[in-house]
Amino acid sequence: QVQLVESGGGLVQPGGSLRLSCAASGFTFSMYAMRWYRQAPGKERELVAHISSFGATRNYADSVKGRFTISRDNAKNTVYLQMNSLKSDDTAVYYCNAPSIDVWGKGTLVTVSS
């Protein structure tokens, strides 16, 4: 019942942009901070971005700061990750996470390649 479902992944060229979405259900979305993680082949899962429950506070990994933007629409129970100026190193499976209740989506694959 408690679910996070990511969408929007796919193949994009270096320098391009992509917007990921994460639809939440089964909990009071607006009360929870949300995070995006990613995991590239052979690497540890990495925290990419964090947003507080009402969006006032946003934090980013140094590797994506200035290129990625996390946002949320509590009326739609959805958190987004806008990814700009994508690089090959951004290739990974991206996961949506509600840290306070340890709920994870199953991930969406982003491949940055020419």
Side-chain angles (χ1 to χ4, degrees), residues 23-34:
S25 60
F27 63 100
T28 306
F29 177 76
S30 63
M31 296 183 67
Y32 292 90
M34 298 295 296

Side-chain angles (χ1 to χ4, degrees), residues 29-66:
F29 177 76
S30 63
M31 296 183 67
Y32 292 90
M34 298 295 296
R35 290 174 171 177
W36 285 97
Y37 284 79
R38 68 185 182 187
Q39 188 165 26
K43 297 184 179 179
E44 295 284 314
R45 187 170 294 185
E46 173 190 22
L47 175 61
V48 174
H50 172 101
I51 187 167
S52 60
S53 59
F54 292 97
T57 301
R58 306 177 194 190
N59 293 289
Y60 302 91
D62 288 342
S63 58
V64 307
K65 189 171 294 184

Side-chain angles (χ1 to χ4, degrees), residues 27-113:
F27 63 100
T28 306
F29 177 76
S30 63
M31 296 183 67
Y32 292 90
M34 298 295 296
R35 290 174 171 177
W36 285 97
Y37 284 79
R38 68 185 182 187
Q39 188 165 26
K43 297 184 179 179
E44 295 284 314
R45 187 170 294 185
E46 173 190 22
L47 175 61
V48 174
H50 172 101
I51 187 167
S52 60
S53 59
F54 292 97
T57 301
R58 306 177 194 190
N59 293 289
Y60 302 91
D62 288 342
S63 58
V64 307
K65 189 171 294 184
R67 300 188 297 119
F68 290 12
T69 302
I70 188 170
S71 62
R72 66 192 297 158
D73 186 339
N74 286 344
K76 295 181 178 179
N77 287 1
T78 302
V79 62
Y80 305 95
L81 186 67
Q82 178 67 48
M83 305 184 294
N84 299 326
S85 301
L86 283 162
K87 304 182 291 187
S88 60
D89 287 349
D90 296 318
T91 295
V93 177
Y94 285 73
Y95 298 91
C96 185
N97 170 241
S100 295
I101 53 175
D102 196 26
V103 173
W104 295 82
K106 66 179 183 295
T108 185
L109 176 62
V110 173
T111 302
V112 184
S113 177

